[in-house]
Amino acid sequence: MKNILLVILLFCSSLLFSQEGVKVESITFKEALVKAEQQKKLVLIDGYTSWCGPCKWMKRQFKSAEAGLFFNKHFVFLEFDMEKEGKTLDEKYKKEVTAYPTFLIIRPDGEIQHKVVGADTLSIFINMVKRGLTKETSLDYLEQNYKQGKLSKKQILDYINALTDASSKKEVAEVANQLFENLSEKERVSSDYLLLYRCIHYRDWNSDRFAYYLRHYKEIAPMMDQESIAYVRMAALWSHFINYLTGMITPEENYGAELKNEIPSFRILLENAEIPDRDFYLALGDLSESQFLNDKIAYERDFNKVLSFPVDEEVYDVLMRSLHLVWGESSESMKIENKTGRMLEEKLNRSYEKK
């Protein structure tokens, strides 16, 4: 009977401990390395700032029982306000923290094994951290072997995931483009390599990888989930047109655009695309170029062209902002005095109301 009670007490105490969430150690970094070696764990550093919203959100998630069960088992967990005590860290750790929050997974020998940047839901975040727990899927291992040309094509996909965890967008693009060039035609439309299309970002619009995706959309898209399809469309198409139509890309300041006027290149991409809403994007591109060139006659024509397609809330908001920029208003709350501008505004409102 006493043994049963002891087991119950031990179980309850274990449950109570896990419900406390992640245990944050109040020890120095060097002491954490020693403790990690003794307990056969890794050190996890949470690099945050006091004003960072995502940092605060992650701290709330770390209070959950699920977080406690996972992180307390595998890590000696440290927190560093990078504007205060974080300044005392060795330079090789500080230089890795360029955004907040940044999480560094460090071996007891002091070497960085993996890096996760940003906040996410606990389940997704744990999956990213799990990659860093396993040597063969950690950023350090994959990076070293990639540089030496020792990774297989499938391992390079792991490397892209690890770089994505670290928010290394430039490196993701470089590695993904290189892998894409080395794939056969069969592999390019294989479900095994969908990650190469899921990881398309804003600056990937002029890559061969994105052009291929647009041309072979009917083969590739059925293998992708709708969220991924929407993300790629937003990242490499819609976001560019938003930047033109809301004044982020102008002849004076092009917001990091590859060319002063990217639209002709987009037009070539879209004319060869298999995407179902290709004609809508072509019309949106024409309108973007008319605004960019400040050609009001062409703008009126292209605005009407865009209105021949369904107008949802997001399109409505962008078009309304565009109207106010083109017809000389500095705020969306102000009325458009120009006759043509008012006419287009009324047409836009009617098109949106029909929806």
Side-chain angles (χ1 to χ4, degrees), residues 155-170:
Q155 286 177 306
I156 293 175
L157 294 177
D158 291 333
Y159 184 36
I160 292 171
N161 277 324
L163 288 169
T164 301
D165 292 345
S167 194
S168 300
K169 294 180 181 179
K170 179 183 177 182

Side-chain angles (χ1 to χ4, degrees), residues 188-207:
R188 288 179 176 184
V189 292
S190 164
S191 60
D192 292 338
Y193 294 96
L194 286 179
L195 178 62
L196 294 181
Y197 307 114
R198 290 197 189 103
C199 70
I200 288 171
H201 289 286
Y202 181 84
R203 295 185 184 276
D204 292 326
W205 72 269
N206 63 343
S207 67

Side-chain angles (χ1 to χ4, degrees), residues 31 50 186 291:
E31 290 171 337
S50 60
K186 184 177 180 180
Q291 179 170 329

